[in-house]
Amino acid sequence: TAAEALNKLGVYQTNTAYFDTILVKADAQKVKAAAEKNEVNFFYVDADTISISFNETTSIADINQIIAIFAEALGKEIFEGKGNCVACHQVDQKVIGPSIQEIAKIYKDKNGNMVNFLKGESEAIVDPSQFAVMQANLEITKTFTDEELKAVEAFINSHLK
């Protein structure tokens, strides 16, 4: 279900009785930014509560898009926060490491597994010459849960052109 998939991202349903609408706890401002970018509307009850409604026309693709929006918002928070990725990576320009857009494009083109790389389980494919610089941050990303790593990946992939 959508609620179970959101739970895996650390987004929890708060209403115990429901028919077609669930309430979830998440940073409404961050989710709203990702939702608007994807032209999806939610009802923002307050700064930490989001209402999501479903009906008979809601498809699996719609549910997957909703999950992707929450993953993107969580990934951005991790990318800019505890991952400290933003210190070396910007959206559209190389700073110390390659741009987010370049990372997303290369992983897509080479069908790479970004989560495995961030776990330290695969080789660098974007800019192997920068791998030594990335080592310190890999020690951080190795401590992330699979859900957090997938959220970071969703955030990076949201910048594909």
Side-chain angles (χ1 to χ4, degrees):
T1 67
E4 290 167 344
L6 290 170
N7 283 348
K8 290 180 181 178
L9 294 173
V11 176
Y12 299 100
Q13 182 177 344
T14 61
N15 54 327
T16 56
Y18 55 91
F19 174 66
D20 64 352
T21 301
I22 61 172
L23 298 174
V24 296
K25 285 290 182 193
D27 186 320
Q29 184 178 0
K30 291 176 181 169
V31 172
K32 185 175 184 179
E36 288 178 347
K37 185 173 121 184
N38 288 281
E39 299 178 353
V40 172
N41 293 318
F42 298 122
F43 175 63
Y44 303 94
V45 178
D46 58 39
D48 298 312
T49 309
I50 301 164
S51 175
I52 307 169
S53 295
F54 304 91
N55 64 33
E56 62 277 358
T57 66
T58 304
S59 68
I60 295 296
D62 294 330
I63 293 170
N64 288 338
Q65 183 179 31
I66 290 167
I67 305 310
I69 288 166
F70 279 84
E72 178 182 334
L74 175 62
K76 182 176 195 271
E77 182 178 326
I78 295 167
F79 188 91
E80 294 175 350
K82 76 179 193 177
N84 196 31
C85 310
V86 72
C88 297
H89 303 283
Q90 297 297 310
V91 172
D92 58 358
Q93 63 183 352
K94 179 178 173 116
V95 180
I96 294 170
S99 73
I100 297 171
Q101 290 173 343
E102 181 182 3
I103 294 167
K105 182 180 183 330
I106 290 172
Y107 269 91
K108 180 182 178 197
D109 291 348
K110 294 185 176 184
N111 199 24
N113 188 320
M114 194 180 309
V115 169
N116 280 352
F117 173 71
L118 294 173
K119 288 179 174 182
E121 297 174 357
S122 67
E123 299 295 317
I125 62 171
V126 177
D127 187 355
S129 69
Q130 290 287 314
F131 184 70
V133 176
M134 181 69 183
Q135 287 285 19
N137 271 57
L138 280 177
E139 293 307 312
I140 296 170
T141 60
K142 286 177 186 178
T143 68
F144 292 0
T145 65
D146 284 350
E147 289 77 20
E148 289 173 322
L149 292 170
K150 289 174 188 170
V152 170
E153 179 182 45
F155 170 69
I156 292 170
N157 287 335
S158 75
H159 291 88
L160 279 169
K161 287 194 169 200

